[in-house]
Amino acid sequence: MTSVIDERASAEDAPVPLPPKPRPSINRIAVWTALLALLAMAVWSVAALDISFAAMARSLENAANFLGRVVPLDFPPLGELLAMTGQTLAIVVLATALSVVLSLPVALFAATNTTSGSVMRTAARVIIVLTRAIPDLVFAIILFRVLGLGALPGILALGIHSVGMIGKLYADAIEELDGGPAEAVQAAGGRRWQWITSTVIPQVMPQLIATALHRFDINLRTSVLLGYVGVGGIGLELAEALRTLQYQRGMALALIILLLCIALELLSGSIRARLLGRVSTRRGIGGLLDRFAAGWVTAPMGDGHQAQRTMRGRIRVAPQWDGDRIRRYLGVVVTILIVAVAVLAADVDGASLVQSLEKFPQVAELFFPPSPRDLFDTLLQAMLVTIQIGLAATLLGLVLALPIGIMAARNVAPNVATANAFRTVIVIIRGIPELILAIVFIVITGLGPVPGTLALAIGSVGLLGKLVADSVEETDVRVQDAVRATGATPGQVFFAATLRQAAPQFVAHILYQLDVNIRSATLLGIVGAGGIGYYLLMATRVNQFDVVTFIVVMILVTVLLVEGLAVWVRKTLH
């Protein structure tokens, strides 16, 4: 009897075997195979472009000579500087405002919970994909042919291209909304436009404004590049200075652009943080407005179940004029004033726009049918170089962005000061236009794909570092606490809990950065940074518009393939 009991006890004490891990699906295996192939292609691209420490060391002498040629900097007179800065800001403000006006209805049709049918949703999604895939430089080339020189082609080019990003983010934000308020308005007999304007738009308004501010930063950096095709402002003056080898003036303008981008990045970032609730609005001016509102008209009298009354005792049916409502109205008023001043500063002529659109059909005929003429092999090789630049820049940027982004995450950094320091580094890098970096590297290393790769690699640190930091901070801390409770070290907690949770987001961010870098590489080619952009600019200058269309198709196909790969990977890994 005792032996039987002992056998039962030993059987109960024996560890229960864990169920076997499920075998990965064929689709998942295919995804990881494709990602490994991309990594191999990126390593090959770095080697093929001859990007190495030895090559950098050979360029140190050129860097010293370059510094000798640009010092002292030649700043333009203050009046000219303010005028060109004002024109640049006016173009960017109007382009961003136009993109918001165009993107909101597109997003409403693209979102599954607000669209009127699958046909409209598909059409809206196609618009988002096409406007995002076609570089704004291409839009600018086409519009300059239709509208002539001036600020208007640049405004329209930036505004139309921005629909791709803003429309997608708006649609995603709308799809994530709580459907309860909309269903309540529909149940009360409200029409489509009524429940959209009363429930959907108010709920996503903070995200709408924050996305517009983020796009404003991007458009500011891009407007500098469009100066090479005739868009006025600082970008045009920079292009003219470098074209005539006035490096002292060119680098002075580049420094001004850099400071302007960083300042506006910090300002818009602060506003976005307040809109999204990451920073309290009850301090400073916000707290002053709250105290002013509370003693001005409205504060609930008695407990919260009583009717709200004015200071004279009348029942108030309108929304309360509290600090939040005052801030919203002031924001609307300031925005309207800024747009109005921008219209005056940009000197937009609406009558000329209508007249110019009449000749659009004749201009469109110049771009069709697409033809490479006798440059097919050359264009194919240039497109391959552009892809190599994008792959190499993404890999090099990833090597720097991963440690910087991880240390910028507050739940991983050793202390808050360290996280804030790395966040500051990310913000500064994000404020540096890739064009400025490419120009500096071109002067140091010479023309070719190397300067474009290095410029995009540094630029990748800003965006990719921020995305990595945000993904790490959004991981479930309960999983980390559970691993930590077993006595694991901080390193073990990070690799076993934090990194495993954030890995799928990391992969999605890397593919997104690759998409961005390939499109950016096509643009940097116009300043001599290698790739298909150079031939795009040359075809424009010699009026070979059928070649321009062929190059656009090549870029579009490449970008859509990368985007399709990213969608497939995200769906499989999530």
Side-chain angles (χ1 to χ4, degrees):
M1 184 70 179
T2 305
S3 61
V4 173
I5 296 175
D6 291 340
E7 289 177 1
R8 290 179 180 177
S10 61
E12 292 175 357
D13 294 339
V16 178
L18 295 175
K21 292 183 179 180
R23 292 183 178 181
S25 64
I26 296 177
N27 199 27
R28 199 174 185 88
I29 294 174
V31 163
W32 284 110
T33 302
L35 292 176
L36 289 175
L38 271 181
L39 177 61
M41 292 172 60
V43 174
W44 165 73
S45 298
V46 172
L49 297 176
D50 191 24
I51 301 174
S52 62
F53 289 107
M56 302 297 173
R58 291 193 296 267
S59 303
L60 291 179
E61 185 178 352
N62 293 337
N65 294 334
F66 171 69
L67 290 176
R69 280 184 289 173
V70 302
V71 178
L73 297 177
D74 179 23
F75 291 93
L78 182 59
E80 294 181 13
L81 178 60
L82 293 177
M84 66 179 71
T85 303
Q87 186 177 14
T88 297
L89 292 177
I91 291 173
V92 175
V93 166
L94 293 178
T96 306
L98 174 64
S99 65
V100 171
V101 172
L102 296 177
S103 297
L104 188 54
V106 171
L108 290 172
F109 283 116
T112 54
N113 53 338
T114 55
T115 190
S116 57
S118 59
V119 175
M120 294 303 300
R121 183 177 185 274
T122 302
R125 288 288 177 179
V126 168
I127 291 174
I128 289 174
V129 170
L130 290 180
T131 53
R132 183 170 175 266
I134 300 176
D136 33 31
L137 178 69
V138 174
F139 286 120
I141 290 172
I142 297 173
L143 291 169
F144 270 119
R145 188 69 185 178
V146 176
L147 305 174
L149 297 176
L152 189 56
I155 294 170
L156 294 176
L158 289 171
I160 294 173
H161 175 69
S162 299
V163 172
M165 172 189 163
I166 296 180
K168 180 181 184 302
L169 295 179
Y170 281 6
D172 292 345
I174 292 172
E175 288 182 340
E176 294 173 359
L177 289 178
D178 179 10
E183 293 174 0
V185 176
Q186 291 175 15
R191 297 182 179 180
R192 177 180 297 274
W193 66 269
Q194 290 175 320
W195 61 260
I196 287 178
T197 55
S198 63
T199 64
V200 174
I201 295 179
Q203 286 185 82
V204 297
M205 186 58 69
Q207 290 92 333
L208 301 186
I209 300 174
T211 302
L213 289 171
H214 178 50
R215 189 66 209 185
F216 176 84
D217 299 332
I218 298 175
N219 286 341
L220 177 61
R221 295 193 291 271
T222 306
S223 68
V224 179
L225 180 63
L226 295 187
Y228 278 80
V229 294
V231 176
I234 300 182
L236 180 60
E237 297 297 327
L238 175 65
E240 290 297 325
L242 296 178
R243 190 175 293 123
T244 56
L245 303 182
Q246 299 179 38
Y247 291 117
Q248 292 175 320
R249 172 61 62 89
M251 289 300 103
L253 293 173
L255 178 61
I256 293 169
I257 294 169
L258 171 61
L259 296 176
L260 184 64
C261 289
I262 292 176
L264 291 177
E265 171 77 20
L266 293 173
L267 176 61
S268 64
S270 175
I271 297 174
R272 288 198 302 270
R274 283 170 169 77
L275 286 171
L276 298 177
R278 298 170 185 164
V279 177
S280 174
T281 59
R282 303 300 178 185
R283 294 174 292 181
I285 297 178
L288 179 62
L289 287 176
D290 288 338
R291 292 190 294 273
F292 173 70
W296 174 33
V297 178
T298 77
M301 301 184 67
D303 58 40
H305 299 286
Q306 294 184 5
Q308 186 187 80
R309 298 179 182 273
T310 65
M311 296 180 64
R312 296 182 178 180
R314 297 176 181 175
I315 295 178
R316 182 177 178 82
V317 294
Q320 178 179 350
W321 277 101
D322 56 4
D324 288 335
R325 191 180 182 196
I326 294 175
R327 277 189 291 271
R328 289 196 297 269
Y329 270 81
L330 287 178
V332 171
V333 171
V334 170
T335 301
I336 293 174
L337 290 176
I338 290 175
V339 172
V341 171
V343 171
L344 297 176
D347 193 20
V348 177
D349 187 359
S352 64
L353 172 62
V354 176
Q355 295 174 0
S356 300
L357 290 178
E358 296 177 355
K359 62 179 183 180
F360 181 78
Q362 292 81 5
V363 174
E365 292 178 358
L366 300 175
F367 292 85
F368 293 96
S371 172
R373 299 198 179 185
D374 56 348
L375 298 172
F376 180 78
D377 292 338
T378 303
L379 295 179
L380 196 61
Q381 179 64 29
M383 193 67 231
L384 176 61
V385 172
T386 297
I387 296 173
Q388 288 179 326
I389 293 173
L391 286 167
T394 304
L395 177 60
L396 296 176
L398 176 64
V399 171
L400 296 174
L402 273 179
I404 292 176
I406 290 171
M407 293 305 296
R410 295 173 181 84
N411 57 336
V412 173
N415 51 62
V416 176
T418 301
N420 291 338
F422 279 95
R423 284 278 183 179
T424 302
V425 171
I426 290 174
V427 169
I428 293 174
I429 294 176
R430 287 185 64 198
I432 303 175
E434 288 90 349
L435 174 66
I436 304 301
L437 294 171
I439 291 171
V440 173
F441 284 124
I442 285 172
V443 177
I444 295 175
T445 64
L447 298 173
V450 173
T453 304
L454 296 177
L456 291 177
I458 295 176
S460 299
V461 175
L463 177 57
L464 198 53
K466 180 183 183 302
L467 295 175
V468 167
D470 292 345
S471 296
V472 172
E473 287 186 347
E474 291 169 1
T475 55
D476 189 348
V477 295
R478 293 173 298 179
V479 179
Q480 300 163 11
D481 292 339
V483 176
R484 191 177 293 110
T486 63
T489 64
Q492 292 172 327
V493 172
F494 173 75
F495 286 104
T498 307
L499 187 59
R500 288 175 66 89
Q501 291 184 73
Q505 287 80 11
F506 285 1
V507 174
H509 297 332
I510 293 168
L511 291 175
Y512 173 71
Q513 187 66 59
L514 175 62
D515 179 19
V516 171
N517 283 342
I518 290 177
R519 285 186 283 112
S520 299
T522 64
L523 303 181
L524 294 184
I526 71 171
V527 297
I532 198 70
Y534 171 77
Y535 295 95
L536 178 64
L537 185 62
M538 290 299 104
T540 303
R541 290 180 174 175
V542 297
N543 295 332
Q544 294 180 347
F545 297 108
D546 52 345
V547 178
V548 170
T549 307
F550 185 82
I551 294 174
V552 171
V553 172
M554 295 177 69
I555 297 172
L556 185 60
V557 170
T558 303
V559 170
L560 290 180
L561 286 175
V562 175
E563 210 164 288
L565 174 64
V567 172
W568 175 48
V569 170
R570 282 198 300 268
K571 287 184 177 179
T572 303
L573 296 183
H574 286 272

